[in-house]
Amino acid sequence: MARTGFCDSKPLLDLHKKADERRVPLRARANACAPTDRRQPAETDETRMAPVKMETESRWERRLSAQTNESIILGFHVDSRASSAETVADECVEKPVLLYPHGLQGLHSLDALVPSLLRHEVEMALEKLDLICDRTFAWDLFLDMMRTQTQNSFPNADLPRHFTDSTRAILVDWMVQVHELLHFQEDTLYLAIHLLNHSLRQLKVTTANLQLLGMVCLLIAAKKEESLLPEVSDLCSLMDHAYTKHQLLRMERRLLCALKFDLSHSPPLHFLLLFAAVARCSAMMVWMARYLLELSLQEAQCVVFLPVQLAGAALCLARHVLQESPTPEGEAAWCLTSSIHVGSETVLLRIMQILATAASRVQTHENSATFIKFSSPERMHVSRHPGLRNPAGLLGVCSSQAPLKGTKLHL
């Protein structure tokens, strides 16, 4: 008879163990045939800045709405020296338009609000990142990403009463370990955590079956994103056979039925890589932003934010941490990228505070799977950057806000 996951003394994931004893005690099994083409930071191409000089002189004006603190108004104004044909074409965008996350359903008109340079850069970035097969539909894909991200957001970060943020963080940390061991792609991890967030709110799952639920989320995500899959029996062995193959497949059916087989998701990683490519970010900055973004997976309060907001905040915080020397071309590209971010400055600053606090807290323990993962040489040791140790000083945040603390786990 199968042992009961979290509450058993032998299973792989034991919440009663110390943090450094919860490492994955797995056999030396590496998926040698697993895909290795993980998305790397886009290389900087200096020649791509050429269109900036040929483009009509224009500027973006950002100002806060007088009616609300939760919105940003973006207005695009064409220089008076522009040609008459271009002036006529842009007459329909004279008035500022409110871009707010809850109004993203009307993004079909966004095409008329952005300069052709931004559209060109987005198309080039999507093509370079291999997110599209045909550049003809690149802009339509971007607009669809912006629309669909609102369908999977959560109104609040509340978990069922018998779960805590600490319980969820431990489970996510274990899922990151298994994901890294099986050499899955990054998209698989983000989709698995997305499925976990939904399942915790739609399924009645006991604490003893949380480990099983986490493995099922990884399996379903792998079936959607990976080309090669591990055997179900191997997944059971990763859980020290605390659950049977029948239990795993039955949980998979329950989860798929609860989700109505809807696995659509716009991961924040796609937005992050897109922003970084348009902004001509260095490899160090991309890895730093990816590290901060992955830390958000363990923060339960981050589920209420949109993927585009998480990506924008992670990239902004990475820019603050590294303090790289600015260049005219880089500043121009960054200003262009800033026009894509949808949301209020208050929301972005709140996310940056959460990520900075999480990064500082992880550095004191150094046993988080994400911390160890991004301390490797191939990821440029970004998790050990000294700039992450003092988030309050980095962001200039008032000390009136108490630091985020984990909740003690009660079983």
Side-chain angles (χ1 to χ4, degrees):
M1 187 170 181
R3 297 192 292 274
T4 55
F6 278 15
C7 298
D8 191 78
S9 59
K10 292 185 65 178
L12 172 61
L13 185 60
D14 191 346
L15 300 183
H16 297 288
K17 292 183 179 180
K18 296 181 179 179
D20 55 354
E21 297 178 355
R22 282 199 304 266
R23 307 305 304 169
V24 181
L26 304 175
R27 297 174 298 178
R29 176 190 180 279
N31 192 353
C33 300
T36 58
D37 55 338
R38 299 189 179 187
R39 295 190 178 91
Q40 299 295 326
E43 298 180 358
T44 304
D45 189 355
E46 299 278 344
T47 60
R48 289 176 55 194
M49 291 303 298
V52 177
K53 300 179 181 180
M54 301 174 59
E55 196 68 15
T56 304
E57 291 189 22
S58 56
R59 60 188 176 89
W60 279 92
E61 179 184 11
R62 170 178 292 189
R63 58 181 181 273
L64 293 178
S65 171
Q67 290 82 9
T68 173
N69 294 327
E70 295 298 327
S71 20
I72 284 182
I73 291 182
L74 296 180
F76 181 70
H77 303 272
V78 180
D79 193 275
S80 58
R81 291 171 291 178
S83 61
S84 59
E86 293 176 342
T87 304
V88 173
D90 291 333
E91 285 180 354
C92 59
V93 296
E94 291 281 339
K95 299 180 180 180
V97 176
L98 181 64
L99 299 182
Y100 183 62
H102 299 294
L104 290 178
Q105 293 81 0
L107 276 179
H108 59 275
S109 61
L110 184 61
D111 190 15
L113 302 176
V114 296
S116 57
L117 174 60
L118 177 58
R119 175 169 179 166
H120 172 76
E121 290 296 323
V122 169
E123 292 175 349
M124 291 287 292
L126 289 173
E127 185 177 28
K128 191 170 185 178
L129 295 170
D130 293 329
L131 294 178
I132 57 171
C133 298
D134 189 351
R135 186 176 170 183
T136 306
F137 307 102
W139 186 249
D140 292 332
L141 174 62
F142 172 70
L143 294 182
D144 185 69
M145 290 170 58
M146 298 291 288
R147 294 190 195 100
T148 56
Q149 65 172 336
T150 61
Q151 301 174 2
N152 298 318
S153 59
F154 298 93
N156 55 67
D158 296 338
L159 291 171
R161 287 186 302 175
H162 54 289
F163 296 135
T164 64
D165 293 348
S166 178
T167 310
R168 179 188 176 279
I170 293 174
L171 178 60
V172 171
D173 185 84
W174 177 78
M175 292 174 65
V176 172
Q177 297 177 46
V178 176
H179 168 271
E180 188 70 6
L181 180 76
L182 296 176
H183 300 283
F184 285 159
Q185 300 186 56
E186 295 301 319
D187 290 348
T188 305
L189 177 62
Y190 282 89
L191 178 57
I193 302 303
H194 172 72
L195 297 178
L196 176 66
N197 293 333
H198 272 282
S199 60
L200 289 177
R201 291 161 174 80
Q202 298 184 18
L203 288 179
K204 293 182 178 180
V205 182
T206 62
T207 307
N209 288 327
L210 274 182
Q211 184 181 5
L212 177 63
L213 178 63
M215 183 62 79
V216 167
C217 291
L218 278 171
L219 175 61
I220 296 176
K223 288 183 176 181
K224 183 176 183 292
E225 300 291 346
E226 305 291 336
S227 56
L228 294 174
L229 298 174
E231 296 290 338
V232 175
S233 57
D234 291 339
L235 298 181
C236 292
S237 67
L238 297 184
M239 296 182 290
D240 196 26
H241 296 285
Y243 310 94
T244 64
K245 178 179 177 180
H246 175 71
Q247 287 177 303
L248 191 147
L249 296 178
R250 184 173 60 184
M251 179 65 76
E252 181 185 22
R253 287 193 297 270
R254 285 186 58 196
L255 179 55
L256 288 174
C257 291
L259 297 174
K260 299 180 180 179
F261 290 82
D262 183 10
L263 305 180
S264 59
H265 178 49
S266 297
L269 181 61
H270 288 182
F271 290 104
L272 174 62
L273 296 177
L274 175 63
F275 295 162
V278 175
R280 314 294 202 278
C281 293
S282 63
M284 172 69 80
M285 186 176 296
V286 175
W287 282 121
M288 177 63 73
R290 292 180 66 165
Y291 168 62
L292 296 171
L293 186 63
E294 190 161 316
L295 285 179
S296 70
L297 297 179
Q298 296 191 21
E299 301 296 323
Q301 52 191 323
C302 285
V303 301
V304 300
F305 302 113
L306 296 176
V308 68
Q309 295 172 337
L310 293 171
L315 196 59
C316 289
L317 181 58
R319 198 166 185 254
H320 279 281
V321 171
L322 298 179
Q323 294 292 321
E324 295 181 348
S325 301
T327 61
E329 295 81 3
E331 290 300 307
W334 180 261
C335 291
L336 186 64
T337 307
S338 299
S339 64
I340 306 177
H341 301 172
V342 180
S344 69
E345 294 181 2
T346 303
V347 171
L348 293 181
L349 180 59
R350 173 58 181 158
I351 301 174
M352 292 170 66
Q353 292 173 350
I354 295 174
L355 298 183
T357 306
S360 176
R361 183 174 63 246
V362 167
Q363 279 211 342
T364 60
H365 297 87
E366 297 189 0
N367 51 21
S368 168
T370 303
F371 178 88
I372 296 174
K373 174 181 176 180
F374 282 88
S375 64
S376 59
E378 57 269 19
R379 293 179 173 88
M380 307 183 74
H381 309 283
V382 292
S383 63
R384 298 184 181 276
H385 195 280
L388 296 172
R389 296 175 182 174
N390 185 16
L394 175 66
L395 297 174
V397 182
C398 298
S399 58
S400 58
Q401 182 175 354
L404 302 176
K405 297 182 179 180
T407 304
K408 185 179 179 181
L409 178 62
H410 299 281
L411 293 179

